[in-house]
Amino acid sequence: MKKHQITIVDIARQLNISKSTVSRVLTGHPSVSEKTKEAVLKLANELDYQRNMLAINLMSSQSHTIGIIVPEFVTSFFPMVIMGAQEVASQAGYNVLISQSNESYETEVANAKVMLDNRVDGVLVSLTRETRNYDHLKVFQRKGIPIVFFNRVCDDMQVPKVVVDDYEGAFKAVEHLILTGRKRIAHLGGPTSLHISKKRLEGYKDALRKYNQPIDPGLILDYDLNLDKVKIYIKHLLDLPEPPDALFTINDPTAFEAMIFIKAKGLKIPEEIAVVGFSNNYGSTLIEPRLTTVAQPTHEIGQVAARLLLDQINSDASEWKPIYRVLKTELLVRGSS
Amino acid sequence: MKKHQITIVDIARQLNISKSTVSRVLTGHPSVSEKTKEAVLKLANELDYQRNMLAINLMSSQSHTIGIIVPEFVTSFFPMVIMGAQEVASQAGYNVLISQSNESYETEVANAKVMLDNRVDGVLVSLTRETRNYDHLKVFQRKGIPIVFFNRVCDDMQVPKVVVDDYEGAFKAVEHLILTGRKRIAHLGGPTSLHISKKRLEGYKDALRKYNQPIDPGLILDYDLNLDKVKIYIKHLLDLPEPPDALFTINDPTAFEAMIFIKAKGLKIPEEIAVVGFSNNYGSTLIEPRLTTVAQPTHEIGQVAARLLLDQINSDASEWKPIYRVLKTELLVRGSS
DNA sequence: CCACAACATGGGAACGTTCCCATAAACGCC
DNA sequence: GGCGTTTATGGGAACGTTCCCATGTTGTGG
């Protein structure tokens, strides 16, 4: 059981003034005499008074908390985004309630419910790879709670979104492969339900088109991002009568798995097959050869998304605009290509 | 501005019953007639009623939230621990408020304050590398809020702690190096203020002693975990008149940096110098050669710590015991040794 | 010296729950 | 049929704030 907590009433009683006055001092209200202000501050400090956010939250009907729902946080991408968001949020006096959906639709739904129960003031979401139904997220809109998507966004909802230029990033990656003489560039993409998968695939195709290279459907595969399956797809590609001489993957972890398999097969990277990833995850400079990849401004994604969310929190719902922010990527050419 | 929220009073009014009864239905209190129960449940569902945790929290003087303070979460270690803790916590109906101290003492202090303001029901802490003063954490004890340390623990406080057997892990790592014929094993350790640094150093020394190898102080370095400095220390070691033929580092990220530098110098790993890390971070199987390391049961650390914390939350402060849980490590021998 | 503004303070409702206590009805039981 | 017991319900305080409104007190200008 908890001990008695010091409240403003305790302070008021000891100083023989009303709790209103104490509250005024503590919230910095101007109309209170210098003398009482000092006395209150002094006693509050002595008693080790700590404001009770539980009461403030109820009173203000605000939790001063924003929720973040991400599919996972073991690879470095989402943690970095969260860092950026957390910075902005805590500077504005908001806490961050993080939850992982573990790439499971059901967990995402459950997490959304928790956020709702806890009356988060807004929510940042990056979808799971299997989310097809968005009812659990539309609830936020219905209840007037702002929502901002990042990275894995929902095309169905008219709300702010923060993404990187996946199309351009993929285009640059593939263009780079073409310009370094690759003739058969394979693409191991993500689930077609994800916006990012589509955009990256488009960039891949358009780069080939621009340089008049044939688009061979046999070199384009999409998979569910379950890393264990990567080697199956890579094996398939390598076993083709005309195997690819380059590989562009949906993300870095996929590229890592692919490289490990390719190296185990005894093929030389980049001589026999070049590999390019996406995201510049932790590990891309560890693997050998170092992975060429499309860097995303992770930290900035988090910051921008959090700022958009705070803007909505601090404005009337009628003013909300479905701003679509596209951040730039950067191609980092390293040893694998 | 928020729209009107559906409350139990709304439900009560519409059904012409008291809010007490509605509350009873919603909390599953037995003494309420089947008929009213049904009606309430039906209407609550229709109106899309959502309980307001803000009110419940104030009423119960519990935030139903546990705080976690970690030094960082970009390397995979802490995210994994957090995952374990989050699992246990959310199963028990608790939220998790995560904050990063970024290895900064001041941020750790500020984070602790936020936790206190928000009346977390308990807190899980892993210290920064620079924390020497524990007043900001002792406040929790004083206020009757349970605290559990993990990984980077505080020797000064009599509270539950969850660690791995750093001593034994280090011992096994160094023993392995000795048994594979290494004669001059260097150790790049962490700051001596950290408990884990001391324990791992002890394990290192005792392994050497057991096999009658000399302990050469010139081969033992400690640093502040700022990865940028690793190459300076490694350079120093390699430039010694009698350079080491093996290196045992305080953790994996340090080992990665060391390996990159060593490889750049043209030395062969493991032939000319073997490397062993600690923690089995993400990336240890990416780097080449794959890093031999001491695996920690990260997920389990989080689970165990969260359970110890919940046990305290649900029991009287007088029953709290400073349980010290030591989990087993496992030596993973891979290519780097 | 009086009217009126500016300042300092107090009182109490409100936020949405839970929970204790009271009350009324229904139900045996001898 | 009266009495104690169970069952279903209502009333209202409490949690710790904030904030509106009221009240008193001081100061200022004509």
Side-chain angles (χ1 to χ4, degrees):
Chain A
M1 224 52 286
K2 293 265 169 60
K3 327 186 165 176
H4 173 73
Q5 314 254 341
I6 305 292
T7 72
I8 57 170
V9 181
D10 296 319
I11 297 180
R13 228 182 338 238
Q14 287 198 39
L15 293 175
N16 248 316
I17 56 178
S18 76
K19 61 177 160 42
S20 308
T21 304
V22 177
S23 169
R24 268 186 281 258
V25 173
L26 264 15
T27 53
H29 190 93
S31 116
V32 51
S33 77
E34 204 55 40
K35 209 180 72 197
T36 35
K37 190 186 288 184
E38 265 175 43
V40 169
L41 255 21
K42 178 156 170 286
L43 186 59
N45 194 42
E46 272 173 30
L47 296 180
D48 202 9
Y49 168 80
Q50 195 118 27
R51 67 188 178 153
N52 189 334
M53 286 305 291
L54 266 37
I56 295 174
N57 289 346
L58 175 60
M59 179 64 200
S60 62
S61 295
Q62 288 193 38
S63 59
H64 299 97
T65 297
I66 67 171
I68 305 188
I69 303 182
V70 293
E72 48 96 4
F73 58 62
V74 173
T75 62
S76 61
F77 179 79
F78 288 108
M80 295 286 277
V81 176
I82 291 171
M83 274 182 68
Q86 208 161 33
E87 261 176 45
V88 172
S90 60
Q91 215 149 27
Y94 284 82
N95 296 319
V96 170
L97 188 58
I98 302 168
S99 73
Q100 299 177 80
S101 52
N102 288 319
E103 295 283 13
S104 147
Y105 166 70
E106 276 166 40
T107 310
E108 191 179 84
V109 173
N111 289 343
K113 165 112 172 55
V114 170
M115 303 267 165
L116 243 23
D117 274 356
N118 284 282
R119 297 290 193 275
V120 290
D121 296 331
V123 65
L124 249 37
V125 179
S126 197
L127 298 169
T128 79
R129 64 189 179 208
E130 51 178 49
T131 304
R132 302 278 187 284
N133 180 308
Y134 309 106
D135 289 345
H136 58 299
L137 299 172
K138 288 177 180 166
V139 178
F140 289 100
Q141 279 189 297
R142 207 163 50 235
K143 302 227 174 199
I145 300 169
I147 180 170
V148 171
F149 286 99
F150 66 94
N151 186 248
R152 303 212 198 147
V153 305
C154 166
D155 287 335
D156 268 21
M157 292 170 67
Q158 293 299 311
V159 296
K161 293 163 196 171
V162 179
V163 297
V164 297
D165 197 334
D166 291 291
Y167 170 85
E168 195 206 38
F171 187 96
K172 285 188 295 192
V174 177
E175 181 175 48
H176 155 72
L177 287 171
I178 296 170
L179 294 179
T180 51
R182 304 296 167 167
K183 296 297 175 196
R184 288 182 59 72
I185 303 168
H187 176 49
L188 180 50
T192 49
S193 59
L194 285 181
H195 189 262
I196 55 172
S197 306
K198 287 182 244 170
K199 287 294 171 188
R200 292 178 193 174
L201 176 59
E202 270 179 44
Y204 162 87
K205 284 182 177 170
D206 276 5
L208 292 178
R209 283 192 195 106
K210 177 174 174 194
Y211 292 92
N212 297 315
Q213 287 213 7
I215 293 174
D216 180 350
L219 291 180
I220 302 175
L221 300 172
D222 61 90
Y223 88 117
D224 62 6
L225 300 181
N226 179 347
L227 291 173
D228 293 336
K229 297 189 190 156
V230 171
K231 47 180 160 312
I232 302 173
Y233 294 103
I234 301 301
K235 181 174 189 327
H236 166 77
L237 287 171
L238 298 182
D239 286 348
L240 287 176
E242 282 186 280
D245 60 359
L247 170 68
F248 170 54
T249 64
I250 183 73
N251 59 24
D252 281 4
T254 304
F256 298 151
E257 290 297 315
M259 285 174 73
I260 289 169
F261 183 80
I262 292 168
K263 289 195 287 185
K265 276 277 173 183
L267 291 177
K268 284 255 182 301
I269 302 173
E271 292 80 358
E272 294 173 81
I273 181 164
V275 180
V276 177
F278 207 109
S279 289
N280 191 32
N281 279 42
Y282 185 84
S284 59
T285 56
L286 256 30
I287 199 159
E288 204 154 330
R290 296 161 78 232
L291 180 64
T292 294
T293 187
V294 180
Q296 303 196 46
T298 44
H299 201 253
E300 196 187 344
I301 294 173
Q303 291 180 320
V304 171
R307 259 186 230 116
L308 286 176
L309 190 64
L310 290 176
D311 285 350
Q312 291 199 30
I313 291 175
N314 297 319
S315 68
D316 196 89
S318 60
E319 295 171 19
W320 294 356
K321 293 185 190 65
I323 294 170
Y324 192 72
R325 282 289 295 276
V326 180
L327 304 181
K328 286 285 158 212
T329 58
E330 187 189 358
L331 179 68
L332 300 179
V333 177
R334 296 199 278 234
S336 72
S337 68
Chain B
M1 227 54 283
K2 292 268 170 58
K3 325 184 169 180
H4 173 72
Q5 314 252 344
I6 304 293
T7 72
I8 57 170
V9 181
D10 296 318
I11 297 180
R13 228 182 336 237
Q14 286 196 41
L15 293 175
N16 248 317
I17 57 177
S18 76
K19 61 176 163 31
S20 306
T21 305
V22 177
S23 168
R24 268 187 281 257
V25 173
L26 265 15
T27 52
H29 190 95
S31 110
V32 52
S33 78
E34 204 55 41
K35 209 180 67 194
T36 36
K37 190 187 289 185
E38 266 176 43
V40 168
L41 255 22
K42 181 156 168 285
L43 186 60
N45 195 42
E46 272 173 29
L47 296 180
D48 201 10
Y49 167 81
Q50 195 118 28
R51 67 187 178 154
N52 189 335
M53 287 304 291
L54 267 35
I56 295 173
N57 289 345
L58 175 61
M59 178 64 202
S60 62
S61 295
Q62 287 194 37
S63 59
H64 299 97
T65 297
I66 66 170
I68 305 188
I69 303 182
V70 293
E72 49 94 6
F73 58 60
V74 172
T75 62
S76 61
F77 178 80
F78 289 108
M80 296 286 277
V81 175
I82 291 172
M83 275 183 68
Q86 208 162 32
E87 263 177 43
V88 172
S90 60
Q91 216 149 27
Y94 283 83
N95 296 319
V96 170
L97 187 58
I98 301 167
S99 73
Q100 299 176 79
S101 53
N102 288 318
E103 296 281 16
S104 147
Y105 166 70
E106 277 166 38
T107 310
E108 190 178 85
V109 173
N111 289 344
K113 165 114 173 52
V114 170
M115 304 267 164
L116 242 24
D117 274 355
N118 284 283
R119 297 293 194 275
V120 290
D121 296 332
V123 66
L124 250 38
V125 179
S126 196
L127 297 170
T128 77
R129 64 189 178 208
E130 50 179 50
T131 304
R132 303 279 187 287
N133 180 309
Y134 310 105
D135 289 345
H136 58 300
L137 299 172
K138 288 177 179 165
V139 177
F140 288 100
Q141 278 189 298
R142 206 162 50 234
K143 301 227 175 201
I145 299 169
I147 181 169
V148 171
F149 285 98
F150 66 94
N151 186 248
R152 302 212 198 146
V153 305
C154 167
D155 287 335
D156 268 22
M157 292 170 67
Q158 293 300 309
V159 297
K161 294 164 196 172
V162 180
V163 296
V164 297
D165 197 333
D166 292 292
Y167 171 83
E168 194 206 38
F171 187 97
K172 285 189 294 192
V174 176
E175 180 174 51
H176 155 72
L177 288 170
I178 296 170
L179 294 179
T180 51
R182 304 296 167 168
K183 295 296 175 198
R184 286 181 60 71
I185 303 170
H187 176 50
L188 181 48
T192 49
S193 58
L194 287 180
H195 189 262
I196 55 171
S197 307
K198 287 181 244 170
K199 287 294 172 188
R200 292 178 194 175
L201 177 60
E202 269 179 44
Y204 162 87
K205 286 183 176 169
D206 277 3
L208 291 178
R209 282 193 195 104
K210 177 175 174 194
Y211 292 92
N212 296 317
Q213 286 213 8
I215 293 175
D216 179 350
L219 292 179
I220 302 176
L221 299 172
D222 61 271
Y223 89 118
D224 63 7
L225 299 182
N226 178 348
L227 292 173
D228 294 337
K229 298 191 189 156
V230 172
K231 46 180 161 314
I232 302 173
Y233 293 104
I234 301 302
K235 182 173 187 327
H236 166 77
L237 287 172
L238 298 182
D239 286 350
L240 286 177
E242 281 187 283
D245 60 0
L247 171 67
F248 170 53
T249 64
I250 184 74
N251 59 23
D252 281 5
T254 303
F256 298 151
E257 289 298 315
M259 286 173 74
I260 289 169
F261 183 80
I262 291 169
K263 289 195 288 184
K265 275 277 173 185
L267 290 178
K268 286 252 182 301
I269 302 173
E271 292 80 358
E272 294 173 81
I273 181 164
V275 180
V276 177
F278 206 110
S279 288
N280 192 30
N281 279 43
Y282 186 83
S284 60
T285 55
L286 257 29
I287 201 161
E288 206 156 326
R290 295 161 78 232
L291 180 64
T292 294
T293 188
V294 180
Q296 304 195 45
T298 45
H299 200 254
E300 195 187 345
I301 293 173
Q303 291 180 319
V304 170
R307 259 186 231 116
L308 285 176
L309 190 64
L310 290 176
D311 285 350
Q312 291 198 30
I313 290 176
N314 297 318
S315 68
D316 196 90
S318 60
E319 294 171 19
W320 295 354
K321 292 187 191 67
I323 295 170
Y324 193 72
R325 281 291 294 277
V326 180
L327 305 181
K328 285 286 161 211
T329 58
E330 185 189 359
L331 179 68
L332 302 179
V333 177
R334 297 199 278 235
S336 71
S337 68

